[in-house]
Amino acid sequence: MIKKMSVKNKRDILLVTLLFTILGGIFILFRLFAFQGEASVANVYYGNSNEPIVSIDFVNYRVIKNYDQNVPNSYDQIYPIIDETARTITLLGDYELSGIRQIVVIQYHYGNKTVEIIQEQSPNKICSREGISSGWPLICLPNRVRVEFDTNPEDFTV
Amino acid sequence: MKKIFLSFILITSILMLSACTKPGSMFSISFFDYMDTFVSINVFAEDQETADEYKVVIEDIYKTYHELSNNYEPLAADSEFKENIYTINQKNNQLIEIDEALYVLIQKAEEVRVLTDGYFDISIGEVVNVWKELLIDNADGYLFSEVPNEVFQAVLTEVNLIELEEDVIELTTQDNRYYIQVKSTHAQLDLGAISKGYATQLVVDYLKELKIKYFSISAGSSSIAVGQNQAREGGIYNVSLANPLKTDSTNRTYGMIYVKDIGVTTSGDYEQYATHQNLRYHHIVSPKTKLPMQYYHTITVLGDDLGMLDAVSTALFSMNTETLNTWLNTHQDALNLEVIQFNYDATIVTHMITTVFEENPS
């Protein structure tokens, strides 16, 4: 009876490990092949809006600010801040430290068509720990800032 | 069970490793300062340092032809070059020593003039200037607006007074020195329709010499050169064709071509034009009539040599359909050119060899 249980236990452990390996494999595959190299635009969103606040155009090498972020007057600054030299976009996130909302800094790279969150404040800092993305979305919570890649079917227009 | 488990680990790690061993990546290089054009280049390089080395060479190419083909100011006092188009235009009828680079470019332009039966001619600068002034003269240019009749008539009178002479450029060499003589009292040279494509072709030649397979060059909105696309299977680049009659953001383009290892140049009337009695007047002037012609809205030419494409698309733009067809019948195969016409009545006619053209669904 005891022997049987241990076999069952072993099988369970094996099954669980197998399951995790498969899931891990799928996850890695997804990250490797998601949009690989095909993305031509990365859109930055804030809050629940489906209108990108900033668009990074990897085809024509430009960053387009679509509209200003709606922030309270007490924040003495207009967001998003676009720095073409440092290649960064700065938004005001929702996460507060001592009652002050914290910034989220996104860095982009035209040649590699990549985006990275290089600065943020949040309990787990998940989105900055995601590293450089060339396809998978970067979602910063509780800052409610997200970056999603999109494709245009074209590479150039003449 | 163990075996399955192990093989899973193996497959996963192989997949991960195979993704990591790709040496090098695409780097971007861009310039704002040459030929009034934003040049943007994507090139495969081992690392940033190598890409920076490419950039130095490429920038030198664009800078060289920017300086040499400049027709509105002389060379800088400390320039390494002898003459540019501006200074040549001040010395009609004189024998002038020029740099080999400019000599070879002008020689090429003259070859295309002969090839296109005079429909491409760099010696009509005077006429081109009159039309350009009508469009973008600081004080009273009529860009995108209607030209009043009296202004239009004045331009026609001015243009008609200009006497164009044929075959005015004489190029000679002696003891490895290069000379030009513009045999006219007033003809003005203008390399605007060839120098950008020519310089871009030199960049392509340089990248090919280095055996770089993956690259793309976009020199302004009218001229591109591509190698292969690293990011897409088959190395294909999708190039959309700008709709010259666009009315809003939904009909920005009218079709798509799928290309690799090729150059594409478009000559069009849509980027800079003024209107008069429902016709567009633009900067591509026919050497035959001294007028901007209205046979097409755009002519797109595909081929191997961007300098040639730039000049040929300009020439074809001034040919009527019959002349264009006759010309293509004679030269298309030998030159390996493909042509897409967006006609004035918005119909599209293609003369393709292997490239796939798809018209947007309407």
Side-chain angles (χ1 to χ4, degrees), chain A residues 14-15 17-18 21-22 25 28-29 32 36-38 59-61 87 110-112 153-158, chain B residues 1 5 8 15 19 25-26 28 40 42 216 218 221 224 229 231-232 237-242 252 264 266:
Chain A
L14 256 175
L15 258 171
T17 327
L18 198 65
T21 319
I22 293 169
I28 286 164
L29 279 177
L32 283 178
Q36 196 177 35
E38 292 274 346
V59 177
N60 299 303
Y61 295 148
R87 309 221 147 152
Y110 289 130
N112 298 343
E154 69 202 22
D155 302 303
F156 295 102
T157 303
V158 288
Chain B
M1 209 56 167
F5 176 66
F8 259 111
L15 275 171
S25 68
M26 299 299 285
S28 64
S40 140
N42 267 313
S216 67
S218 157
S221 56
I224 61 160
N229 187 351
R232 193 171 290 123
Y237 279 99
N238 300 349
V239 178
S240 60
L241 303 175
R252 207 170 45 79
V264 186
T266 293

Side-chain angles (χ1 to χ4, degrees), chain B residues 134-168:
Chain B
L134 175 73
L135 295 178
I136 45 175
D137 194 26
N138 292 337
D140 42 19
Y142 289 95
L143 192 64
F144 303 130
S145 50
E146 178 75 12
V147 183
N149 199 38
E150 65 273 18
V151 176
F152 188 77
Q153 294 307 327
V155 166
L156 286 187
T157 310
E158 193 182 348
V159 163
N160 281 328
L161 285 173
I162 299 170
E163 194 193 331
L164 292 180
E165 298 141 301
E166 280 180 20
D167 206 1
V168 294

Side-chain angles (χ1 to χ4, degrees), chain B residues 301-313:
Chain B
V301 188
L302 290 74
D304 310 317
D305 175 351
L306 273 155
M308 161 91 77
L309 296 182
D310 215 356
V312 165
S313 67

Side-chain angles (χ1 to χ4, degrees), chain B residues 62-199:
Chain B
Y62 281 112
K63 188 166 180 285
T64 296
Y65 289 92
H66 170 79
E67 287 183 20
L68 291 175
S69 60
N70 188 325
N71 66 350
Y72 53 86
E73 59 183 12
L75 291 163
D78 59 349
S79 170
E80 57 181 303
F81 303 115
K82 295 183 175 72
E83 305 276 346
N84 68 3
I85 293 297
Y86 178 85
T87 56
I88 292 171
N89 281 342
Q90 313 295 312
K91 300 175 192 170
N92 283 48
N93 278 320
Q94 296 178 37
L95 185 68
I96 314 161
E97 187 182 353
I98 56 175
D99 297 277
E100 186 184 1
L102 184 57
Y103 180 93
V104 176
L105 168 53
I106 295 175
Q107 199 173 37
K108 170 126 195 165
E110 284 293 276
E111 280 169 25
V112 181
R113 178 177 63 79
V114 175
L115 182 76
T116 59
D117 311 317
Y119 276 91
F120 174 75
D121 192 336
I122 59 167
S123 71
I124 63 162
E126 274 175 296
V127 181
V128 174
N129 287 341
V130 173
W131 289 106
K132 273 191 182 162
E133 259 171 45
L134 175 73
L135 295 178
I136 45 175
D137 194 26
N138 292 337
D140 42 19
Y142 289 95
L143 192 64
F144 303 130
S145 50
E146 178 75 12
V147 183
N149 199 38
E150 65 273 18
V151 176
F152 188 77
Q153 294 307 327
V155 166
L156 286 187
T157 310
E158 193 182 348
V159 163
N160 281 328
L161 285 173
I162 299 170
E163 194 193 331
L164 292 180
E165 298 141 301
E166 280 180 20
D167 206 1
V168 294
I169 299 168
E170 192 165 280
L171 295 164
T172 46
T173 59
Q174 203 179 358
D175 307 328
N176 281 327
R177 286 163 172 256
Y178 301 85
Y179 301 92
I180 186 170
Q181 187 174 9
V182 181
K183 293 184 159 175
S184 159
T185 52
H186 56 87
Q188 300 285 291
L189 307 189
D190 184 341
L191 292 177
I194 188 168
S195 60
K196 195 172 67 181
Y198 182 84

Side-chain angles (χ1 to χ4, degrees), chain B residues 243-259:
Chain B
N243 177 4
L245 299 176
K246 69 171 176 223
T247 47
D248 57 54
S249 62
T250 61
N251 58 8
R252 207 170 45 79
T253 65
Y254 72 89
M256 185 96 88
I257 47 176
Y258 301 90
V259 292

